[in-house]
Amino acid sequence: MFSLFRFSINPGLLERPLVVGALWGAVTGDVATSLKIAVFFELFWLDNIPAGTYIPPHILAPTFAALALSTSFAFTEARQAMVIILACLPLARIGAWLEFSLRRWHNRGHNRLINWARRGKAGEELPARLVLQSILRTFGTSWLFFWTSTMVLHYILRIFFHKWGPLVAGVDMKWSFLWIAASLGGLLALRLRKAYATFVFGVVLFGFIILAGIV
């Protein structure tokens, strides 16, 4: 349903990860973890906004998948969520490709619409029927994509955590670390070379400080 908010139905910014995370937390009862995961995706794709013919990464696909998998595995720690988030990130690009394919599919009704306009027959509701068909097609395809991808990732991650769960448990990861990494999206949104240079300089300086401390 939320996939329709990207292009088909536009009631505002309801397709943003923060809104999805808040609603998911309200339904599942784990608002804290849901919002923490949503903040990561919100920051990571901060500069990707649908405009014109540009199809940005499908940020809802990895957001919903990560929330569903975290709830399924009952994970609340950042080290566990990190693995789930990384596994779900490719869904953003796959979802964008799927939306592009759907647009090409919807374009098949263009000639029908042109012929209908030329005939000018009263009583025919072809435009409304084409819009309804496109909405239902998008809804069904998005649901199938989400369900299939989430199920596949669930089985893959279950095997992963069964084999390497102790290794993940030993990783010192905090939510703030994930948010800092995701904030690169906000930096890229500035579109300023000075901002990029400052960030690179800060990373290099931080690396030297860490190395100096170790030595």
Side-chain angles (χ1 to χ4, degrees), residues 80-177:
Q80 300 164 328
M82 174 188 66
V83 177
I84 293 179
I85 289 173
L86 292 176
C88 294
L89 279 177
L91 297 182
R93 292 298 178 185
I94 299 175
W97 171 83
L98 180 63
E99 285 188 337
F100 174 75
S101 301
L102 281 173
R103 284 193 179 190
R104 297 185 64 180
W105 193 357
H106 298 332
N107 287 339
R108 296 179 180 178
H110 179 262
N111 292 334
R112 296 175 57 191
L113 185 62
I114 294 298
N115 293 331
W116 171 85
R118 289 173 177 174
R119 291 196 306 267
K121 292 183 177 180
E124 291 189 9
E125 300 180 353
L126 181 63
R129 189 163 64 250
L130 289 176
V131 172
L132 179 61
Q133 288 175 356
S134 66
I135 291 177
L136 293 177
R137 190 179 297 123
T138 301
F139 177 82
T141 305
S142 300
W143 181 87
L144 182 62
F145 165 63
F146 168 75
W147 184 84
T148 304
S149 57
T150 303
M151 291 298 296
V152 171
L153 286 175
H154 181 273
Y155 286 111
I156 293 176
L157 288 172
R158 188 170 66 177
I159 296 173
F160 176 86
F161 284 112
H162 178 73
K163 291 185 176 181
W164 291 286
L167 180 62
V168 175
V171 177
D172 185 15
M173 176 60 63
K174 295 181 174 58
W175 285 106
S176 57
F177 297 166

